[in-house]
Amino acid sequence: MKPFDSVEIQTRHQRLQDLMKASGSNLDAMIVLNTADLYYLSGTVQTAHLLVTPAEEPRLLVRKVLERARGDSPLEHIEPLESLKTLPERLASLCGPPPWKIGMELDVLPAATYAFYSKLLGDGTEILDASRLLMANRAAKSDYEIGELKRAAEAQRLLFESIPELLGREGISSCELQNQLDCRARTLGHCGIIRLRGMNIGTGIGTVTSGPDGALPNHSLFPIGGKGPHTCVSQGGSRSPIEANTPVIVDYLMSLSGYHSDCTRMAVRGTMPGGAIEIYEKTRELLRFCEETIRVGSIPSRIYEELIALAEEKGLGDNFMGLGELAVKFVGHSVGLEVNELPVLAPRFDEPLVEGNTLAIEPKYTHPDWGVIGVENTYAVHADRLENLTELPEDIISASP
């Protein structure tokens, strides 16, 4: 079964070609290599080069495995690429003779790979960064894509329903709770792969932290740090038993078809401290503010400024989105085939939101004794509303100690 029908793929290519023409970059072609971009534009993750021009039909040149690519993809032109040496010939058949201006994903392309293609395509060829065009093309989700996010969110609901039984186990650590939830996510259909864009950016299916271990900052670009199970990871749950009456934060990504739904809820073994409840309710109020105000046309950088100011008003300013100066500089991010898509609710993101943007909004506060406290939902942006795709109860999940 092909993941996308031909109409869905054709719409994506037409939009990308329009973006190429409007960008003023005068690209002769794009060579798409990154797995998420390749899958979005072809429907396969087989090793291939996708050639996209401003006007011609795309060409998928497959290194491995041709038969699977033809079974996966609705593209019309799917051909073998026996040798990379023939790539210039294939480009010439689409673009005419060199020199060319070629767009590639320079935000993720290794320098050695860039040097290889520069030599292969010849001295007269200029390789430009096409990553922003490719990510802009993926930013507005179709009805099909939003439907896939909703399917993932429904599996997420079932996953979170298993927390009370697991959390109630005597002596369970945050690391072991995370392990058990990972297993449960896989049995619910999780693909098992989390895709993020960029160098040295990685995460597991989910993160569970609690108490002082959960308050530890780390190297990651996420608002939840954590001690982690080992220094080689230094992120997420620790092997110390979860203490009774101590907040537990559970942040999980669900992906059934490559599309990531992102959701965070709070839990506790026993009774949540009153002060922690107060913090949690304030983060929920921040989320309600977003639901009431974010629409098509909202400016991401302005949303960030408003939430930072509102958090300050509510007494959460010092450790909002992380400890002090180590706090991350965003309050939400776009999700899709990658977890860190565009736009981001952060400074310098000044382009208005459009219909179909999908945002994971995650107001979180770090307490030195209780760890990270907060909430997160995934939304679709519409002209008249911010649609919550993760319609899970936000009540604190409790288990008997």
Side-chain angles (χ1 to χ4, degrees), residues 174-184 208 239 252:
S174 52
C175 182
E176 180 58 21
L177 178 54
Q178 189 172 303
N179 293 341
Q180 292 294 325
L181 288 171
D182 285 1
C183 179
R184 175 67 172 151
V208 179
R239 301 194 187 281
Y252 261 77

Side-chain angles (χ1 to χ4, degrees), residues 54 91 105 147 220 295 363:
L91 277 170
E105 299 135 317
S220 78
R295 301 289 186 270

Side-chain angles (χ1 to χ4, degrees), residues 160-170 172 177 180 397-400:
F160 278 72
E161 287 179 355
S162 66
I163 292 175
E165 186 274 324
L166 296 171
L167 183 57
R169 295 179 182 179
E170 185 64 32
I172 193 168
L177 178 54
Q180 292 294 325
I397 301 167
S398 61
S400 299

Side-chain angles (χ1 to χ4, degrees), residues 264-323:
T264 300
R265 294 293 184 264
M266 295 302 301
V268 67
R269 294 185 74 245
T271 303
M272 187 73 83
I277 294 174
E278 183 179 350
I279 293 170
Y280 181 54
E281 289 305 318
K282 288 178 179 179
T283 64
R284 291 180 67 189
E285 289 169 9
L286 294 175
L287 211 49
R288 300 291 85 79
F289 172 80
C290 291
E291 292 171 355
E292 293 166 3
T293 59
I294 295 177
R295 301 289 186 270
V296 169
S298 297
I299 307 298
S301 59
R302 196 171 301 159
I303 297 167
Y304 173 81
E305 292 169 359
E306 290 171 346
L307 251 64
I308 293 296
L310 193 55
E312 186 74 36
E313 288 179 17
K314 294 180 178 295
L316 302 181
D318 289 346
N319 294 326
F320 185 59
M321 301 306 290
L323 281 173

Side-chain angles (χ1 to χ4, degrees), residues 327-386:
V328 297
K329 304 302 181 185
F330 69 90
V331 293
H333 55 95
S334 293
V335 291
L337 292 175
E338 293 172 313
V339 177
N340 53 343
E341 295 195 356
L342 299 180
V344 183
L345 304 184
R348 297 183 297 280
F349 284 85
D350 301 323
E351 291 293 321
L353 296 177
V354 300
E355 180 77 26
N357 284 149
T358 46
L359 303 170
I361 306 177
E362 50 178 328
K364 289 169 181 169
Y365 178 85
T366 300
H367 189 282
D369 297 321
W370 294 329
V372 181
I373 299 171
V375 64
E376 178 179 21
N377 287 326
T378 296
Y379 298 94
V381 177
H382 301 294
D384 61 343
R385 71 194 190 284
L386 189 64

